[in-house]
Amino acid sequence: MEKKNIDWANLGFGYLKTDYRYVSNFKDGAWDEGGLTTDDMVTINECAGVLQYAQTVFEGMKAYTTEDGRIVTFRPDLNAERMENSAKRLEMPVFPQDRFIEAVVETIKANAAYVPPFGSGATLYVRPYMFGSNPVIGVKPADEYQFRVFTTPVGPYFKGGIKPLTIRVSDFDRAAPHGTGHIKAGLNYAMSLHAIVDAHNQGFDENMYLDAQTRTKVEETGGANFLFVTKDGKVVTPKSNSILPSITRRSLIYVAKEYLGLEAEEREIYFDEVKDFAECGLCGTAAVISPVGKIVDHGKEICFPSGMTEMGPITKKLYDTLTGIQMGRIEAPEGWLKVIE
């Protein structure tokens, strides 16, 4: 297939309309058969549940061209499972996991001309999402919903190379212990916007959120999980019921153990421990791993030995191995790569 005439090397991380998107509607207790459309506009009532009470969930994925020319996406079954859990928590109907994967594959295949070529540094970002679409004025779940998938080609998350981030310990709380922090709901991201804008205004790249109950344990940032490396080379990630179960984090833990032979564990991490770690990173779909060079706690700086110029050595091995698996340079565990064509 002939690719679109796009300057792949200079793509930013933003929205660019592609040709097709997938739409399915839930009404009278059932999902319709769904299908592709070229119409990128969503038309809903002014009183739609999503507009009044933020009843919406979403996923973030990528499709890319491997070294041997295949178009693949990474572990879509886990995105399907997570969206099911998110929908249940917000009293939304579940879009069946097998149909979720089919919709994602169908949408990527229809927009194959927008999947950047191997080596360009760019990827096709895939956004499945669902929202309450019928009028709701009383505080209750909607009766009708729309599930959609759109795609957009994006450039590397870090323009000009990966540079370690400076993070501040936030005075804001990201999620309550029994709230919605563990699901991918739009409302979680809305409440993080003020905190991230304020952080940027103060000269920081991101926020570190501590647990809301005791403010002694590390949770995550507004859109990524933390990953730490101890001085003796163990990979450690925070465990909490109020952080998002990141697919990238779970994959990195597996890679650490099974590919690199490292010790790796998920456990509660107290903020007092952070100063003793050798490396720190943020992990998520967009950048895979973003290295952290410095954390600032109300003026007190914690500087990691890995420094402010490059990734730490173990973080770099994790990044190189996982991206190697995603790009087909390293053999993937069974089921990790879904081949589109």
Side-chain angles (χ1 to χ4, degrees):
M1 168 174 284
E2 188 177 345
K3 297 293 184 182
K4 295 289 182 178
N5 185 21
I6 293 173
D7 184 2
W8 305 108
N10 291 305
L11 272 176
F13 200 86
Y15 174 77
L16 177 69
K17 179 184 172 182
T18 54
D19 294 340
Y20 296 96
R21 61 276 311 134
Y22 181 94
V23 182
S24 181
N25 291 289
F26 181 90
K27 188 175 182 179
D28 299 327
W31 290 102
D32 66 17
E33 64 181 16
L36 296 173
T37 177
T38 57
D39 186 1
D40 61 324
M41 303 304 292
V42 178
T43 303
I44 50 177
N45 187 277
E46 63 185 351
C47 195
V50 62
L51 301 178
Q52 305 308 316
Y53 303 120
Q55 201 181 15
T56 180
V57 297
F58 70 98
E59 281 297 321
M61 317 164 61
K62 283 182 174 180
Y64 38 86
T65 307
T66 61
E67 197 164 13
D68 60 4
R70 296 173 298 163
I71 293 176
V72 302
T73 190
F74 186 69
R75 309 190 78 178
D77 55 316
L78 297 187
N79 294 95
E81 178 186 40
R82 190 167 63 183
M83 180 169 259
E84 176 175 326
N85 293 334
S86 296
K88 287 177 177 176
R89 180 63 177 81
L90 291 193
E91 289 296 328
M92 303 171 77
V94 170
F95 194 75
Q97 291 189 30
D98 57 340
R99 288 195 59 189
F100 176 101
I101 295 171
E102 288 170 9
V104 166
V105 169
E106 198 175 337
T107 310
I108 295 170
K109 188 177 290 187
N111 294 299
Y114 289 94
V115 180
F118 175 79
S120 65
T123 54
L124 187 73
Y125 192 83
V126 184
R127 172 56 59 87
Y129 63 111
M130 187 199 308
F131 55 88
S133 55
N134 69 297
V136 180
I137 196 67
V139 181
K140 62 178 183 178
D143 298 314
E144 298 175 10
Y145 296 84
Q146 190 167 103
F147 170 84
R148 298 177 70 99
V149 183
F150 72 81
T151 61
T152 183
V154 295
Y157 198 71
F158 296 109
K159 266 309 200 193
I162 298 171
K163 298 289 193 301
L165 308 176
T166 299
I167 292 179
R168 72 167 182 185
V169 176
S170 180
D171 290 326
F172 298 101
D173 293 327
R174 180 190 161 270
H178 302 289
T180 58
H182 62 294
I183 65 169
K184 208 164 175 67
L187 56 91
N188 293 341
Y189 295 80
M191 61 74 58
S192 75
L193 295 177
H194 173 68
I196 191 62
V197 169
D198 185 63
H200 289 165
N201 287 341
Q202 300 297 324
F204 300 100
D205 296 302
E206 252 293 4
N207 291 288
M208 169 183 276
Y209 291 104
L210 303 179
D211 74 292
Q213 189 167 12
T214 70
R215 296 195 61 77
T216 60
K217 290 175 277 192
V218 176
E219 294 242 304
E220 60 178 327
T221 67
N225 284 185
F226 276 101
L227 180 146
F228 298 99
V229 179
T230 64
K231 288 177 180 174
D232 59 356
K234 179 188 285 188
V235 177
V236 187
T237 63
K239 183 176 184 178
S240 166
N241 292 329
S242 56
I243 64 177
L244 191 71
S246 163
I247 294 164
T248 304
R249 176 187 56 78
R250 282 183 274 178
S251 302
L252 286 166
I253 290 290
Y254 183 91
V255 163
K257 291 177 178 178
E258 304 299 329
Y259 281 71
L260 300 178
L262 300 171
E263 282 191 71
E265 67 173 335
E266 181 187 9
R267 63 168 174 82
E268 290 187 336
I269 295 176
Y270 286 85
F271 181 68
D272 287 347
E273 298 178 65
V274 171
K275 66 183 184 302
D276 298 320
F277 290 126
E279 300 174 38
C280 175
L282 309 180
C283 51
T285 299
V288 181
I289 304 178
S290 313
V292 175
K294 184 191 300 182
I295 294 174
V296 181
D297 178 21
H298 300 86
K300 182 181 177 183
E301 294 188 351
I302 298 172
C303 298
F304 294 101
S306 49
M308 291 298 297
T309 57
E310 58 188 7
M311 277 189 177
I314 290 180
T315 305
K316 183 75 162 59
K317 285 181 184 177
L318 288 167
Y319 176 86
D320 288 345
T321 306
L322 186 57
T323 54
I325 289 169
Q326 291 176 333
M327 292 297 173
R329 292 190 297 271
I330 298 172
E331 187 175 353
E334 187 175 351
W336 277 29
L337 296 184
K338 178 72 174 176
V339 180
I340 308 302
E341 62 174 28

